[in-house]
Amino acid sequence: MSDTAILATPKGWPAILLPRPAAAKAGTVAADPADLDAATAAGAFKGLRLAIRDLGAIGTIAVIGAAGLRGRGGAGYPAADKWRAAAGTNAAERIVVANGYGADPATGTDGVLLRRNPFAVIEGLAIAAFAIGAGEAVIAVRAEAVSTIRVLEAALAAATDAGFVGPDAFGPGRSLDVRLETVQGAYLLGEETILLKALEGKRGQPEQRPPHPATKGLRGLPTVVHNVQTLAAIPWIVVNGADAFAKVGAKDCPGTILVQVRGADAAGVAEVPMGTSLRDIVALAAPVAGSPAGGRAVKAILVGGPSGGILPPEALDTPYTFEALRAAGAHIGSGSVIVADERACIVDLARVLTRFCADEACGKTIPCRIGTRRLSEIGDRLAAGTSRAGDLDLLTDLAADIVGSALCDHERLATLPLVSGMRYFRAELDEHIERGSCPAGVCHPIAMAASATH
Ligand SMILES: Cc1cc2nc3c(=O)[nH]c(=O)nc-3n(C[C@H](O)[C@H](O)[C@H](O)COP(=O)(O)O)c2cc1C
Ligand code: SF4
């Protein structure tokens, strides 16, 4: 099964962002996702028409606010608050940017959405632009995402030809110029201020906030940046109403979200209601052996991507919400949920993830640049069996010093793999330090040293 296959979900789970696999099989979903006639027959652009004709800009913002839509890009910030901030400026021009960068190389959620349901993203972008008074919109994707780019180009051309975007899209003299921009770079490019720099052709480093992009963004203009999933939910909300959306998912975070699930027997993308337990999410990756770990015991769940948390099986009942995952030591991040079975070594996992985060730090702020490197070295020493006395105390102090000291959230997130690993799997870390052995036999120098004594 491909990593980007859409996983079957239980009957009754709402489908707001993606067509159901069953619907695709039954032929009720167009074979060509850029087929505008088929999409409009299924309701595409109805929300945009309603927003322009019935709600008006202020009414549209009110509906999105009442629905409680929170950004899916990571921080969970209320969408309507960003819109109000941008609309409240007295700038002559405003911009909306769809963040389709998909920073985590192992997570395909945003690409799946863009390829399967491009009109939902374009329509959401247009509604957001109409609501904040923007005449310019950008869809930013990775330059190497060739098949996504192909679908988006066709969908955008069709939507422009039909007049949903482009000249006079919102009425006479009220145009929306939408363009597709490809950006090429590192993990950090998904961070909104870096993405805006890249779109300006500048070096990719974050900016001090405030001012936030909503008031001063691309070319200094008020710019609302949203993840593509956030945008794709907007037409559904306008058509079905704020109350209907507020009833889906978690009370403090309504709606659905796409997750990239990986277990022993299946991997793919699933649309899940916000607040679904991690247990129900990992169960989606168990269609064959009946266990997400392929018949083996679940040892850990990696939640949030490269800078995610490593959670124990006891955390399986944690609801998939911004706050609950943060309290557990992880985050929604890229939407990745990976099951590690009993053969995994927590030190090895944390070491590899921390190294990635240190390598990807842009270097603009010293606590992150140097701190993540020192953290990575602690991980290396743990795995190599060369830990120094006090390394875990140093890890705790370093993580505390790094967090909150930098320009973007990367510094905090980069501490999560080692900090959560130490929080939940302390005995395994201690064994690496005190006995010089790797219980899972993964950290090679230690495993060899241990076996040489027998
Ligand atoms: C290191 C880092 C990487 C990020 N990568 C992405 C990304 O790939 N896609 C994304 O939509 N947001 C990403 N974000 C979050 C964005 O900065 C921004 O908050 C988001 O695009 C806003 O969209 P939302 O309002 O829909 O949440 C990243 C943040 C950080 C700190
Ligand atoms: S926190 Fe890290 S990634 Fe973010 S600006 Fe500072 S050095 Fe760059």
Side-chain angles (χ1 to χ4, degrees):
M1 184 180 275
S2 140
D3 275 8
T4 50
I6 299 184
L7 295 171
T9 50
K11 259 196 179 153
W13 281 19
I16 292 175
L17 305 173
L18 288 180
R20 287 252 162 247
K25 249 188 220 158
T28 50
V29 171
D32 175 7
D35 179 342
L36 183 61
D37 289 339
T40 48
F45 292 102
K46 202 172 153 193
L48 178 61
R49 273 196 299 269
L50 282 172
I52 297 171
R53 199 188 55 207
D54 298 348
L55 296 175
I58 294 172
T60 304
I61 298 178
V63 167
I64 298 304
L69 177 66
R70 294 173 62 181
R72 301 309 196 230
Y77 194 75
D81 288 1
K82 273 192 198 178
W83 295 19
R84 286 193 189 100
T89 62
N90 53 14
E93 294 170 55
R94 298 179 190 85
I95 304 170
V96 183
V97 172
N99 187 347
Y101 184 67
D104 177 359
T107 301
T109 48
D110 293 352
V112 166
L113 172 66
L114 287 165
R115 288 190 299 278
R116 299 281 185 132
N117 208 0
F119 292 119
V121 177
I122 295 170
E123 186 181 357
L125 192 65
I127 294 172
F130 168 74
I132 70 161
E136 181 180 343
V138 180
I139 305 174
V141 294
R142 275 174 182 272
E144 69 265 34
V146 180
S147 49
T148 304
I149 291 167
R150 215 174 281 142
V151 172
L152 275 175
E153 279 174 346
L156 201 49
T160 309
D161 283 351
F164 292 123
V165 298
D168 301 329
F170 302 150
R174 298 174 67 201
S175 302
L176 177 65
D177 170 34
V178 185
R179 65 183 187 280
L180 179 63
E181 293 245 16
T182 59
V183 285
Q184 179 73 327
Y187 178 70
L188 261 279
L189 250 180
E191 197 278 333
E192 59 184 3
T193 61
I194 306 186
L195 183 65
L196 296 180
K197 283 273 189 71
L199 292 173
E200 290 173 346
K202 295 182 182 150
R203 184 171 165 177
Q205 285 189 321
E207 279 301 307
Q208 183 80 49
R209 278 154 288 190
H212 291 276
T215 52
K216 192 166 184 261
L218 197 60
R219 306 194 308 275
L221 296 171
T223 305
V224 165
V225 182
H226 276 313
N227 174 266
V228 288
Q229 295 183 47
T230 315
L231 292 167
I234 290 166
W236 193 98
I237 296 170
V238 172
V239 171
N240 294 280
D243 288 351
F245 188 77
K247 283 189 191 121
V248 177
K251 203 162 185 271
D252 60 351
C253 189
T256 60
I257 189 164
L258 301 182
V259 286
Q260 172 83 55
V261 196
R262 275 173 219 278
D265 298 309
V269 170
E271 178 171 2
V272 307
M274 293 293 314
T276 301
S277 69
L278 285 176
R279 187 182 303 284
D280 288 343
I281 291 176
V282 301
L284 300 172
V288 181
S291 128
R296 297 190 166 87
V298 173
K299 178 164 182 179
I301 315 114
L302 281 62
V303 185
S307 58
I310 305 176
L311 306 183
E314 294 74 42
L316 278 169
D317 290 318
T318 307
Y320 198 76
T321 63
F322 295 101
E323 284 74 22
L325 288 176
R326 186 170 176 146
H331 67 134
I332 283 183
S334 67
S336 157
V337 177
I338 302 174
V339 180
D341 68 45
E342 58 203 353
R343 294 168 300 177
C345 168
I346 300 304
V347 166
D348 184 60
L349 290 175
R351 175 185 75 86
V352 170
L353 296 176
T354 309
R355 167 63 66 92
F356 177 91
C357 291
D359 288 348
E360 293 294 328
C362 78
K364 188 167 179 178
T365 38
I366 294 167
C368 174
R369 184 175 74 222
I370 299 179
T372 56
R373 184 57 55 196
R374 296 287 93 86
L375 276 182
S376 172
E377 289 164 3
I378 293 175
D380 288 345
R381 287 200 292 274
L382 283 168
T386 56
S387 287
R388 300 173 189 157
D391 257 357
L392 293 189
D393 291 338
L394 180 61
L395 194 166
T396 308
D397 288 349
L398 252 179
D401 288 347
I402 294 171
V403 172
S405 62
L407 273 181
C408 77
D409 213 20
H410 183 64
E411 95 292 356
R412 178 178 72 82
L413 303 173
T415 67
L416 293 181
L418 272 171
V419 168
S420 59
M422 186 168 72
R423 173 172 166 189
Y424 294 115
F425 301 91
R426 178 69 191 243
E428 190 162 334
L429 269 66
D430 284 343
E431 200 150 339
H432 281 74
I433 297 170
E434 291 159 13
R435 294 156 60 104
S437 67
C438 172
V442 173
C443 301
H444 296 298
I446 299 181
M448 281 165 63
S451 61
T453 61
H454 293 295

